[in-house]
Amino acid sequence: MVPNVTQRPPAPSSAPKFLVAVAAVLSALLLAGCGVRLETDVPKPLVPSANELMRQGMVNDLVLIAQDADAAGKSVAADSPTSTELSAVADQASAYQDLLGGVYVSGLPQEEAEQDEVAASPAPATPENVLTRLTDSIARVRSTLPLMEDPELARLFASISISNTLSARDLAAALAQDATDNADAPMVTLEPAAESIPDTVFAGIDPALVTALIVSEDGAGYSYEVLAAMRQPDRRAIALTNATFHRTTAQTWAAVTQVADTAEDPRRVAYDLPLSMSVEAYVAPDSELVEMAQTVEVGLATRYLDLVALAAPEHRAFFFDAAIRSALIGAAWGVPRTELPF
């Protein structure tokens, strides 16, 4: 008798699924070959941080300054002081653009078109408009210092603005020199307006740094008093003016920190000076006196810029203004303008 063996049904073939997959791949290839492809989402632009927005704003300022300075330089006599200053302004602004990383390029067509519109200067390129761009940029930086999240970026912007201040000073002087009539020369005010200083201006700053600042300001006043005594009578006035300014500033800082005329007052009767004098030559060479004045102002401007980074955001502008004042005094004593002087 033949045993009854139960037959199993045949396993389903995987061939149809394989063929479907192959057909799908071939269809995709054919569609790609015909210029048809599946749609993907349009890339979205990155959302810039507050620091990046500040950086882009500063770069845009520098782009317009460089463009206008270059174009305006072609409208004046090539051998004129104004032409020389415009060339220096254009070169400096371009260098600062590179320092800050240049214009942001997203790679998205729509944003690049918008960036091209921003980069185009709507105002005519004249030396006077370049001067206005410089002063507007300085004012813009001052107003945004409290908003910057990165203290070091705030210091960098302040330093660039000091260079722009010196550029504006030199350009205004060149325009006045080239003007056939003094009435044609633009009037520009670069000296920051005096403001009342809050008692909390040094809040959070190392007391040792504050003490060093008071000593530096008072020592600057002493230096100018000695300088005035050693110069010819007709050249003493500016030195005495500087001496009074720095002594007054030292007194202001000492009063704000409540150390004025107390046992903690760090000011001294006299300070060591980098001058070569002797019994035979009790008047230092004029070159040493000028160099001393330059060193004093560069040192103070640097201290104040450091305080821009260390101060509370709402107090940065006070130290920015102080740095500008020292930079302008230093420039009057011949401190050369470089890309980043402080």
Side-chain angles (χ1 to χ4, degrees):
M1 184 173 178
V2 179
N4 185 11
V5 179
T6 304
Q7 298 276 337
R8 292 186 181 179
S13 173
S14 60
K17 292 184 178 179
F18 173 75
L19 292 175
V20 169
V22 170
V25 172
L26 290 174
S27 297
L29 292 174
L30 288 172
L31 290 173
C34 295
V36 180
R37 59 185 176 185
L38 298 176
E39 290 295 331
T40 58
D41 293 337
V42 177
K44 296 181 179 179
L46 298 175
V47 178
S49 65
N51 283 340
E52 174 59 15
L53 288 174
M54 301 289 182
R55 190 199 69 82
Q56 291 179 21
M58 174 62 95
V59 170
N60 286 338
D61 278 357
L62 294 169
V63 167
L64 294 174
I65 290 170
Q67 286 179 351
D68 284 4
D70 185 61
K74 299 171 183 175
S75 67
V76 299
D79 58 347
S80 65
T82 299
S83 176
T84 300
E85 290 304 326
L86 287 170
S87 178
V89 168
D91 290 344
Q92 179 175 281
S94 296
Y96 288 149
Q97 291 175 48
D98 294 338
L99 179 68
L100 292 175
V103 177
Y104 169 70
V105 178
S106 68
L108 302 178
Q110 182 179 357
E111 283 207 342
E112 288 188 7
E114 293 174 355
Q115 289 162 358
D116 290 340
E117 291 177 5
V118 171
S121 175
T126 65
E128 291 77 12
N129 282 344
V130 174
L131 188 59
T132 299
R133 287 205 182 281
L134 287 167
T135 54
D136 285 351
S137 179
I138 296 163
R140 198 152 33 243
V141 167
R142 187 185 190 281
S143 66
T144 56
L145 281 176
L147 307 177
M148 295 184 188
E149 297 175 350
D150 184 348
E152 290 303 323
L153 186 64
R155 188 195 189 285
L156 177 59
F157 278 23
S159 183
I160 290 175
S161 292
I162 286 180
S163 290
N164 285 343
T165 300
L166 300 182
S167 293
R169 169 189 178 273
D170 293 346
L171 179 56
L175 285 167
Q177 185 176 343
D178 287 340
T180 56
D181 184 345
N182 285 337
D184 296 333
M187 298 299 292
V188 57
T189 301
L190 299 172
E191 180 76 17
E195 294 186 17
S196 58
I197 300 173
D199 293 340
T200 57
V201 69
F202 291 111
I205 297 176
D206 186 347
L209 295 177
V210 181
T211 297
L213 177 64
I214 295 172
V215 171
S216 294
E217 282 285 8
D218 196 57
Y222 178 80
S223 298
Y224 280 114
E225 289 165 356
V226 172
L227 191 156
M230 293 186 178
R231 303 203 91 184
Q232 297 299 320
D234 60 338
R235 304 174 68 188
R236 290 175 184 164
I238 185 64
L240 289 174
T241 299
N242 295 156
T244 300
F245 169 75
H246 285 298
R247 291 282 200 183
T248 301
T249 303
Q251 174 62 26
T252 298
W253 295 141
V256 166
T257 54
Q258 300 181 352
V259 299
D261 304 320
T262 69
E264 288 76 31
D265 195 329
R267 291 174 290 177
R268 302 194 289 268
V269 175
Y271 297 84
D272 293 332
L273 300 179
L275 302 175
S276 57
M277 294 180 292
S278 63
V279 176
E280 294 77 17
Y282 55 89
V283 175
D286 197 64
S287 59
E288 287 190 2
L289 295 173
V290 171
E291 183 178 357
M292 178 178 68
Q294 294 175 351
T295 302
V296 161
E297 300 303 343
V298 170
L300 281 170
T302 302
R303 282 187 184 277
Y304 283 121
L305 279 176
D306 290 342
L307 290 173
V308 168
L310 296 172
E314 65 270 22
H315 296 151
R316 288 171 180 162
F318 292 104
F319 299 117
F320 175 57
D321 290 346
I324 285 182
R325 292 189 185 97
S326 283
L328 288 171
I329 296 173
W333 285 98
V335 174
R337 191 178 84 218
T338 57
E339 288 183 4
L340 277 178
F342 308 107

